[in-house]
Amino acid sequence: MLIAQTSDLHIRPPGMLVGGVVDTAAALEACVAHLQALPLRPDLLLITGDLTQQGRPEEYAHLRRLLAPLGLPLLVCPGNHDDRAASGQGHRPSSPARRAAGVAAAKPLMSPSIWDRCG
């Protein structure tokens, strides 16, 4: 099994830079392109540390779009900037509390068990 690993993506909403300077989305796009160009594609992408800069739902949505071209299984260990609920992992879609509140299930970025172990 070949595992690729990256860390501390700090993704912002589209068009926003970290600290007004760093384009983390462009850096992730370059990473994705590099992984796609490898002669031997990884079986899994391990992402450690902060997935987003502020743990906002729009940041997780942008992260999903940026990672989608890989088509690889993801294993993530979120960091202190991340927010379990905003990522779509706060409650399972079948949660009675979610149904009672009429909250639509967000598309999960990762397995809830990863948050249980690392979040």
Side-chain angles (χ1 to χ4, degrees), residues 9-106:
L9 303 178
H10 289 272
I11 295 300
R12 297 290 321 240
M16 296 188 72
L17 307 177
V18 173
V21 178
V22 180
D23 189 346
T24 56
L28 182 55
E29 286 172 332
C31 177
V32 166
H34 176 78
L35 292 172
Q36 288 177 308
L38 290 173
L40 184 56
R41 288 200 26 133
D43 299 298
L44 171 83
L45 176 59
L46 170 64
I47 306 172
T48 57
D50 300 314
L51 305 173
T52 65
Q53 180 64 14
Q54 297 182 333
R56 294 182 178 168
E58 61 270 23
E59 292 174 331
Y60 292 104
H62 192 201
L63 178 59
R64 283 183 193 94
R65 287 189 299 271
L66 293 167
L67 292 171
L70 277 178
L72 293 176
L74 304 173
L75 181 62
V76 300
C77 191
N80 64 307
H81 286 232
D82 292 304
D83 182 287
R84 181 179 184 144
S87 74
Q89 300 301 312
H91 302 280
R92 287 179 175 78
S94 61
S95 162
R98 283 185 79 87
R99 287 194 306 272
V103 176

